[in-house]
Amino acid sequence: MQGETASEPRALGLCPDRLERIDGWMRANVAAGKVAGLSVMLARGGKTAFFRTHGRADIARDKPFAPDTIARIYSMTKPLTSVAVMMLYEEGRFQLDDPITRFLPEFSDLRVLTGGNRAKFESEPARRLITIRDLLTHTSGLTYGFMEATLVDALYRQNGVDFGEAQEAGLAEVVGRLARQPLLAQPGAEWNYSVATDVLGHLVAVVSGQDFADFLRERVIAPLGMVDTDFFVPADKLPRLAANYSLFRDRTLKLYDDAVDSRFANPPACPSGGGGLVSTAADYMRFCRFLLRRGELEGTRLLGRKTVDLMLTNHLDGDLAAMGQPRFSETAYTGIGFGLGFSVMLDPARAQIVGTPGEVAWGGLASTAFWVDPAEDLAVVLLTQLIPSSALPLRRELRVLTYAALVD
């Protein structure tokens, strides 16, 4: 299915025939039953060069994946939460290397796991406090319970440290549970993908004095004109929500979350800054354009250009691979750094994928993805609903197809 009318690709430095390879790739993935449906939106120079949808948003109801289909973007929520944090930073509310205990005193007496088991773990005192910058860069020592790779992960699951859509406790309560668990690593020592951005959501609420979901809606989402982006789908928009599927070992799709009887049909008790939003391709492209325009979109400025530059800069000592042994994330590790809310391409040769140093990206649990390439004035949004995101190399394949179409 064709999306919105695209600008003439050649005028944007793109080869129309090579762009059509993306369409063929989309059709092939649907025909092979790898995904139910998907959309790809590509913009260059602020203009849409390609926007197509194929397949079904809901297999059982034979509903097509449309240009305005609403999808769960999960961890693509993190960049928006990071923008909210940096807006407060620009207001002089804190410095990035301030300890989070300035606002969240429950994190004062942290310990770091050294051994043991769930019944009795061994630990040592944290050598320093977690900073706001640690949370933004995932170097805080926190982790995710769903990884099921470490004892700390198990303690999260055992003690209700879960910011998912089924959580019945409020955001402050879950953060309080988190603060009572040991850290996986010393603050600043390792890069570990984690619930850090959920803590940032609570930090936004405490610093601003406003409910986090309301802050994000009123200060970020609404000003950017992201009309279909929220922590839940209201009843009048529910027919546009896609079903979410899992790809089983037999390579068949199984329903994970229904399009009508969805967990996202009601406001969550615990709005997740790390993974709680739904959105559309057009909405998220507005966010990408905001980044490309260094903090401004259509006359609305949320951040200063120097602040955006800081966010899009690698803040690690080297790449992710040099910062310990990452267990899981929405990106590769070698040749990839991390800024304040995004991965940052450092070296395409080391990353073994075509790209541009300085491009930023992230993805979500249901195989969604975006990247923004300032040097090429390029942004790409991929929406589908397939769990887990590691099931297929969709993001890497789309990246190659996209960059192959650049001809200017």
Side-chain angles (χ1 to χ4, degrees):
M1 176 181 290
Q2 177 71 46
E4 71 176 34
T5 301
S7 298
E8 169 56 41
R10 290 192 189 280
L12 301 177
L14 293 154
C15 173
D17 292 339
R18 286 172 171 258
L19 281 179
E20 286 302 315
R21 294 177 182 174
I22 298 176
D23 190 85
W25 168 81
M26 295 170 71
R27 291 176 183 274
N29 275 291
V30 171
K34 294 179 179 180
V35 296
L38 74 169
S39 67
V40 172
M41 190 171 190
L42 187 158
R44 197 172 192 213
K47 297 180 180 179
T48 301
F50 181 96
F51 188 14
R52 306 282 176 85
T53 67
H54 287 292
R56 292 290 176 265
D58 185 336
I59 296 173
R61 299 175 180 88
D62 195 30
K63 185 194 305 180
F65 208 104
D68 64 349
T69 290
I70 297 172
R72 303 154 192 80
I73 61 171
Y74 289 113
S75 286
M76 282 167 60
T77 305
K78 289 179 170 70
L80 277 82
T81 301
S82 300
V83 165
V85 171
M86 298 305 289
M87 289 172 71
L88 293 173
Y89 166 72
E90 283 197 334
E91 292 175 6
R93 305 291 192 97
F94 49 74
Q95 293 300 302
L96 296 181
D97 284 329
D98 280 350
I100 62 172
T101 51
R102 179 179 167 192
F103 304 101
L104 308 178
E106 57 267 43
F107 287 91
S108 295
D109 300 311
L110 294 173
R111 299 187 67 85
V112 180
L113 187 83
T114 58
N117 53 50
R118 285 195 227 189
K120 185 177 181 180
F121 62 82
E122 300 167 1
S123 64
E124 64 182 15
R127 298 190 191 108
R128 68 166 176 82
L129 296 170
I130 295 172
T131 67
I132 295 171
R133 179 178 173 275
D134 289 333
L135 294 177
L136 285 162
T137 58
H138 292 285
T139 56
S140 60
L142 300 173
T143 182
Y144 265 121
F146 70 77
M147 293 188 190
E148 301 188 8
T150 72
L151 176 55
V152 179
D153 302 348
L155 290 170
Y156 280 24
R157 297 193 303 276
Q158 176 179 299
N159 295 308
V161 180
D162 177 12
F163 296 87
E165 59 264 25
Q167 178 59 259
E168 296 181 357
L171 181 56
E173 181 178 339
V174 182
V175 170
R177 295 174 189 172
L178 171 64
R180 295 191 289 272
Q181 312 308 313
L183 296 177
L184 183 62
Q186 290 287 345
E190 296 181 5
W191 190 91
N192 288 294
Y193 195 39
S194 73
V195 297
T197 316
D198 291 290
V199 179
L200 286 172
H202 182 49
L203 180 80
V204 167
V206 172
V207 173
S208 69
Q210 185 177 11
D211 175 81
F212 167 61
D214 289 341
F215 183 100
L216 202 65
R217 290 186 190 106
E218 295 172 16
R219 298 286 303 276
V220 180
I221 293 170
L224 290 180
M226 299 173 71
V227 295
D228 292 318
T229 302
D230 208 331
F231 287 98
F232 75 105
V233 183
D236 63 323
K237 295 183 180 181
L238 201 56
R240 291 163 49 200
L241 178 65
N244 199 4
Y245 298 92
S246 292
L247 188 63
F248 275 51
R249 291 181 180 178
D250 63 0
R251 312 309 283 178
T252 59
L253 296 174
K254 307 291 185 183
L255 185 66
Y256 179 85
D257 185 39
D258 188 57
V260 175
D261 185 23
S262 172
R263 296 173 180 173
F264 285 85
N266 298 291
C270 183
S272 169
L277 290 176
V278 297
S279 191
T280 62
D283 263 18
Y284 211 88
M285 183 57 77
R286 292 185 67 83
F287 180 69
C288 292
R289 289 174 56 205
F290 157 78
L291 294 176
L292 282 173
R293 292 183 60 83
R294 298 169 76 186
E296 178 270 338
L297 181 65
E298 296 174 357
T300 296
R301 179 167 291 281
L302 302 186
L303 290 172
R305 60 183 179 84
K306 298 296 288 186
T307 301
V308 175
D309 290 348
L310 182 66
M311 294 181 72
L312 274 55
T313 300
N314 180 38
H315 284 250
L316 306 182
D317 294 329
D319 61 10
L320 299 181
M323 293 288 290
Q325 296 181 329
R327 279 154 280 275
F328 166 83
S329 81
E330 300 292 351
T331 183
Y333 312 126
T334 302
I336 307 292
F338 207 83
L340 302 180
F342 325 82
S343 64
V344 181
M345 173 67 79
L346 301 178
D347 186 339
R350 294 196 68 227
Q352 299 185 55
I353 190 76
V354 65
T356 308
E359 69 183 44
V360 298
W362 206 243
L365 176 65
S367 301
T368 60
F370 84 97
W371 79 91
V372 167
D373 186 334
E376 295 288 352
D377 200 6
L378 172 74
V380 180
V381 176
L382 163 66
L383 293 187
T384 187
Q385 297 284 261
L386 179 71
I387 289 178
S389 58
S390 58
L392 298 171
L394 297 174
R395 298 164 181 171
R396 293 178 69 83
E397 291 172 351
L398 178 58
R399 176 178 292 271
V400 174
L401 290 163
T402 298
Y403 278 114
L406 289 175
V407 292
D408 63 354

Coordinates of all heavy atoms in Angstrom, one line a residue, residues 117-167:
N117 N 23.4 -16.0 45.9 CA 22.2 -16.4 45.2 C 21.0 -15.6 45.6 O 21.1 -14.7 46.4 CB 22.0 -17.9 45.4 CG 21.9 -18.2 46.9 OD1 21.2 -17.6 47.7 ND2 22.7 -19.2 47.3
R118 N 19.8 -16.0 45.1 CA 18.6 -15.2 45.4 C 18.3 -15.1 46.9 O 17.9 -14.1 47.4 CB 17.4 -15.7 44.6 CG 17.4 -15.5 43.2 CD 16.0 -15.7 42.6 NE 16.1 -16.5 41.4 CZ 15.1 -16.8 40.6 NH1 13.9 -16.3 41.0 NH2 15.2 -17.5 39.5
A119 N 18.6 -16.2 47.5 CA 18.3 -16.3 49.0 C 19.2 -15.4 49.8 O 18.8 -14.8 50.8 CB 18.3 -17.7 49.5
K120 N 20.5 -15.4 49.4 CA 21.4 -14.6 50.1 C 22.5 -14.1 49.1 O 23.4 -14.9 48.7 CB 22.1 -15.4 51.2 CG 23.0 -14.5 52.1 CD 23.5 -15.3 53.3 CE 24.5 -14.4 54.1 NZ 25.0 -15.1 55.3
F121 N 22.5 -12.9 48.7 CA 23.5 -12.4 47.7 C 24.6 -11.7 48.5 O 24.4 -11.2 49.6 CB 22.9 -11.5 46.7 CG 22.2 -10.3 47.2 CD1 22.9 -9.1 47.4 CD2 20.8 -10.2 47.3 CE1 22.3 -8.0 47.9 CE2 20.2 -9.0 47.7 CZ 21.0 -7.9 48.0
E122 N 25.7 -11.6 47.9 CA 26.9 -10.9 48.5 C 27.1 -9.6 47.7 O 26.8 -9.5 46.5 CB 28.1 -11.8 48.3 CG 28.0 -13.1 49.1 CD 29.1 -14.1 48.7 OE1 30.0 -13.7 47.9 OE2 29.1 -15.2 49.2
S123 N 27.5 -8.6 48.4 CA 27.7 -7.3 47.8 C 28.7 -6.4 48.4 O 29.2 -6.8 49.5 CB 26.3 -6.5 47.8 OG 25.9 -6.3 49.1
E124 N 29.1 -5.4 47.8 CA 30.0 -4.4 48.3 C 29.4 -3.0 48.1 O 28.5 -2.8 47.3 CB 31.3 -4.5 47.6 CG 31.3 -4.1 46.1 CD 32.7 -4.2 45.5 OE1 33.6 -4.8 46.1 OE2 32.8 -3.7 44.4
P125 N 29.8 -2.0 48.9 CA 29.2 -0.7 48.7 C 29.6 -0.1 47.4 O 30.6 -0.3 46.8 CB 29.9 0.1 49.8 CG 30.4 -0.9 50.8 CD 30.7 -2.1 50.0
A126 N 28.6 0.7 46.8 CA 28.9 1.4 45.6 C 30.0 2.4 45.9 O 30.0 3.1 46.9 CB 27.7 2.1 45.0
R127 N 30.9 2.6 44.9 CA 32.1 3.5 45.2 C 31.7 4.9 45.0 O 32.4 5.8 45.5 CB 33.2 3.1 44.2 CG 33.8 1.7 44.4 CD 35.0 1.5 43.6 NE 35.4 0.1 43.6 CZ 35.2 -0.8 42.6 NH1 34.8 -0.3 41.4 NH2 35.6 -2.0 42.7
R128 N 30.6 5.2 44.3 CA 30.1 6.5 44.1 C 28.6 6.5 43.8 O 28.1 5.4 43.5 CB 30.8 7.3 43.0 CG 30.6 6.8 41.6 CD 31.1 7.9 40.6 NE 31.0 7.5 39.2 CZ 30.0 7.6 38.5 NH1 28.8 7.9 39.0 NH2 30.0 7.2 37.2
L129 N 27.9 7.6 43.9 CA 26.5 7.7 43.6 C 26.2 7.7 42.1 O 27.1 8.1 41.3 CB 25.9 8.9 44.2 CG 26.0 9.0 45.8 CD1 25.6 10.4 46.2 CD2 25.1 8.0 46.4
I130 N 25.1 7.2 41.7 CA 24.6 7.3 40.3 C 24.3 8.7 40.0 O 23.7 9.5 40.8 CB 23.3 6.4 40.1 CG1 23.6 5.0 40.4 CG2 22.8 6.7 38.7 CD1 22.4 4.1 40.4
T131 N 24.8 9.2 38.8 CA 24.5 10.5 38.3 C 23.4 10.5 37.3 O 23.0 9.4 36.7 CB 25.7 11.2 37.7 OG1 26.1 10.5 36.5 CG2 26.9 11.1 38.7
I132 N 22.9 11.7 37.0 CA 21.8 11.8 35.9 C 22.5 11.4 34.6 O 21.8 10.7 33.8 CB 21.3 13.2 35.9 CG1 20.5 13.5 37.2 CG2 20.4 13.4 34.6 CD1 20.1 15.0 37.3
R133 N 23.7 11.7 34.4 CA 24.4 11.3 33.1 C 24.5 9.8 33.0 O 24.4 9.2 32.0 CB 25.8 12.0 33.1 CG 26.6 11.6 31.8 CD 27.9 12.4 31.9 NE 28.8 11.9 30.8 CZ 29.6 10.9 30.9 NH1 29.7 10.2 32.0 NH2 30.4 10.6 29.9
D134 N 24.8 9.1 34.2 CA 24.8 7.7 34.2 C 23.5 7.1 33.7 O 23.5 6.1 32.9 CB 25.1 7.1 35.6 CG 26.5 7.4 36.1 OD1 27.4 7.5 35.3 OD2 26.7 7.5 37.3
L135 N 22.4 7.6 34.1 CA 21.1 7.1 33.7 C 20.9 7.3 32.2 O 20.4 6.5 31.5 CB 20.0 7.8 34.5 CG 19.9 7.5 36.0 CD1 18.8 8.3 36.6 CD2 19.7 6.0 36.3
L136 N 21.3 8.5 31.7 CA 21.1 8.8 30.3 C 21.9 8.0 29.4 O 21.6 7.7 28.2 CB 21.4 10.3 30.0 CG 20.4 11.3 30.5 CD1 21.0 12.7 30.6 CD2 19.2 11.3 29.5
T137 N 23.1 7.5 29.9 CA 24.0 6.7 29.1 C 24.0 5.2 29.4 O 24.8 4.5 28.8 CB 25.4 7.2 29.2 OG1 25.8 7.2 30.6 CG2 25.6 8.7 28.8
H138 N 23.1 4.8 30.3 CA 23.0 3.4 30.7 C 24.3 2.8 31.3 O 24.7 1.7 31.1 CB 22.6 2.5 29.5 CG 21.2 2.7 29.0 ND1 20.1 2.2 29.7 CD2 20.7 3.4 28.0 CE1 19.0 2.6 29.1 NE2 19.4 3.3 28.1
T139 N 25.0 3.7 32.0 CA 26.2 3.3 32.8 C 26.0 3.4 34.3 O 26.9 3.6 35.0 CB 27.4 4.2 32.4 OG1 27.1 5.6 32.6 CG2 27.7 4.0 30.9
S140 N 24.7 3.2 34.7 CA 24.4 3.4 36.1 C 24.6 2.2 37.0 O 24.6 2.2 38.2 CB 22.9 3.8 36.2 OG 22.1 2.8 35.6
G141 N 24.7 1.0 36.4 CA 24.8 -0.3 37.1 C 23.5 -1.0 37.2 O 23.4 -2.1 37.8
L142 N 22.4 -0.4 36.7 CA 21.1 -1.0 36.6 C 21.0 -2.0 35.5 O 21.9 -2.0 34.6 CB 20.0 0.1 36.5 CG 20.0 1.1 37.6 CD1 19.0 2.3 37.2 CD2 19.6 0.5 38.9
T143 N 20.0 -2.8 35.4 CA 19.8 -3.8 34.4 C 18.3 -3.9 34.1 O 17.5 -3.1 34.4 CB 20.4 -5.1 34.8 OG1 20.3 -6.1 33.8 CG2 19.8 -5.7 36.1
Y144 N 17.9 -5.0 33.4 CA 16.6 -5.4 33.1 C 16.3 -6.8 33.6 O 17.1 -7.7 33.4 CB 16.3 -5.4 31.6 CG 15.7 -4.1 31.0 CD1 16.4 -3.4 30.0 CD2 14.5 -3.6 31.4 CE1 15.9 -2.3 29.4 CE2 14.0 -2.5 30.8 CZ 14.6 -1.8 29.8 OH 14.1 -0.7 29.3
G145 N 15.2 -7.0 34.2 CA 14.8 -8.3 34.7 C 14.5 -9.3 33.6 O 14.8 -10.5 33.8
F146 N 14.0 -8.8 32.5 CA 13.6 -9.8 31.4 C 14.8 -10.4 30.7 O 14.7 -11.4 30.0 CB 12.8 -9.1 30.4 CG 13.5 -8.1 29.5 CD1 14.3 -8.5 28.5 CD2 13.3 -6.7 29.7 CE1 14.9 -7.5 27.7 CE2 13.9 -5.8 28.9 CZ 14.8 -6.2 27.9
M147 N 16.0 -9.9 31.0 CA 17.2 -10.5 30.3 C 17.5 -11.9 30.8 O 18.0 -12.7 30.1 CB 18.4 -9.6 30.5 CG 18.3 -8.3 29.8 SD 19.9 -7.4 29.9 CE 19.4 -5.8 29.2
E148 N 17.2 -12.2 32.1 CA 17.4 -13.5 32.6 C 18.8 -14.0 32.5 O 19.0 -15.2 32.1 CB 16.3 -14.5 32.1 CG 14.9 -14.1 32.3 CD 13.9 -15.1 31.9 OE1 14.3 -16.3 31.6 OE2 12.7 -14.8 31.9
A149 N 19.8 -13.1 32.7 CA 21.2 -13.4 32.5 C 22.0 -13.4 33.7 O 23.1 -14.0 33.8 CB 21.8 -12.5 31.4
T150 N 21.5 -12.6 34.7 CA 22.3 -12.4 35.9 C 21.5 -12.6 37.2 O 20.2 -12.6 37.1 CB 23.0 -11.0 36.0 OG1 22.0 -10.1 36.2 CG2 23.7 -10.7 34.7
L151 N 22.1 -12.7 38.3 CA 21.4 -12.8 39.6 C 20.6 -11.5 39.8 O 19.5 -11.5 40.4 CB 22.4 -13.0 40.7 CG 21.8 -13.1 42.1 CD1 20.6 -14.0 42.2 CD2 22.9 -13.4 43.2
V152 N 21.1 -10.3 39.4 CA 20.4 -9.1 39.6 C 19.1 -9.1 38.8 O 18.1 -8.6 39.3 CB 21.3 -7.9 39.3 CG1 20.5 -6.6 39.5 CG2 22.5 -7.8 40.2
D153 N 19.2 -9.6 37.6 CA 18.0 -9.7 36.8 C 16.9 -10.5 37.5 O 15.8 -10.2 37.5 CB 18.3 -10.4 35.4 CG 19.4 -9.8 34.6 OD1 19.7 -8.6 34.9 OD2 19.8 -10.4 33.6
A154 N 17.4 -11.6 38.1 CA 16.4 -12.5 38.8 C 15.8 -11.8 40.0 O 14.7 -12.0 40.4 CB 17.2 -13.8 39.3
L155 N 16.6 -11.0 40.7 CA 16.1 -10.2 41.9 C 15.1 -9.2 41.4 O 14.1 -9.0 42.1 CB 17.3 -9.6 42.6 CG 18.2 -10.5 43.4 CD1 19.5 -9.8 43.8 CD2 17.5 -11.1 44.5
Y156 N 15.3 -8.6 40.3 CA 14.3 -7.7 39.7 C 13.0 -8.4 39.6 O 11.9 -7.9 40.0 CB 14.7 -7.1 38.4 CG 15.7 -6.0 38.4 CD1 16.6 -5.8 39.5 CD2 15.8 -5.1 37.4 CE1 17.5 -4.7 39.5 CE2 16.7 -4.1 37.3 CZ 17.6 -3.9 38.4 OH 18.5 -2.8 38.4
R157 N 13.0 -9.6 38.9 CA 11.8 -10.3 38.7 C 11.1 -10.8 40.0 O 9.9 -10.7 40.2 CB 12.1 -11.5 37.8 CG 12.6 -11.2 36.4 CD 12.6 -12.4 35.5 NE 13.3 -13.5 36.0 CZ 14.6 -13.6 35.8 NH1 15.3 -12.7 35.2 NH2 15.3 -14.7 36.3
Q158 N 11.9 -11.2 40.9 CA 11.4 -11.7 42.2 C 10.8 -10.6 43.0 O 9.8 -10.8 43.7 CB 12.6 -12.3 43.0 CG 12.2 -12.8 44.4 CD 13.5 -13.4 45.1 OE1 14.0 -14.4 44.6 NE2 13.9 -12.8 46.2
N159 N 11.3 -9.3 42.9 CA 10.8 -8.3 43.7 C 10.0 -7.2 43.0 O 9.8 -6.1 43.5 CB 12.1 -7.6 44.4 CG 12.8 -8.6 45.3 OD1 12.2 -9.2 46.2 ND2 14.1 -8.7 45.1
G160 N 9.4 -7.6 41.9 CA 8.5 -6.7 41.2 C 9.0 -5.5 40.6 O 8.3 -4.4 40.5
V161 N 10.3 -5.5 40.2 CA 10.9 -4.4 39.5 C 10.7 -4.5 38.0 O 11.5 -5.1 37.2 CB 12.4 -4.3 39.8 CG1 13.0 -3.1 39.0 CG2 12.7 -4.1 41.3
D162 N 9.5 -4.1 37.6 CA 9.1 -4.2 36.2 C 8.2 -3.0 35.8 O 7.2 -2.7 36.5 CB 8.3 -5.5 36.0 CG 7.7 -5.7 34.6 OD1 8.1 -4.9 33.7 OD2 6.8 -6.6 34.4
F163 N 8.6 -2.3 34.8 CA 7.9 -1.1 34.4 C 7.0 -1.3 33.2 O 6.6 -0.4 32.5 CB 8.9 0.0 34.1 CG 9.7 0.5 35.3 CD1 10.9 -0.1 35.6 CD2 9.3 1.5 36.1 CE1 11.7 0.3 36.7 CE2 10.0 2.0 37.1 CZ 11.2 1.3 37.5
G164 N 6.7 -2.6 32.9 CA 5.9 -3.0 31.8 C 4.4 -2.6 31.9 O 4.0 -2.1 32.9
E165 N 3.7 -2.7 30.8 CA 2.3 -2.2 30.7 C 1.4 -3.0 31.7 O 0.3 -2.4 32.0 CB 1.8 -2.4 29.3 CG 1.8 -3.8 28.7 CD 3.0 -4.1 27.9 OE1 4.1 -3.5 28.1 OE2 2.9 -5.0 27.0
A166 N 1.8 -4.2 32.2 CA 0.9 -4.9 33.1 C 1.1 -4.5 34.5 O 0.4 -5.0 35.4 CB 1.1 -6.4 32.9
Q167 N 2.1 -3.7 34.8 CA 2.4 -3.3 36.2 C 1.2 -2.5 36.8 O 0.7 -1.6 36.2 CB 3.7 -2.4 36.2 CG 4.1 -1.9 37.5 CD 4.4 -3.0 38.5 OE1 3.6 -3.3 39.4 NE2 5.6 -3.6 38.4

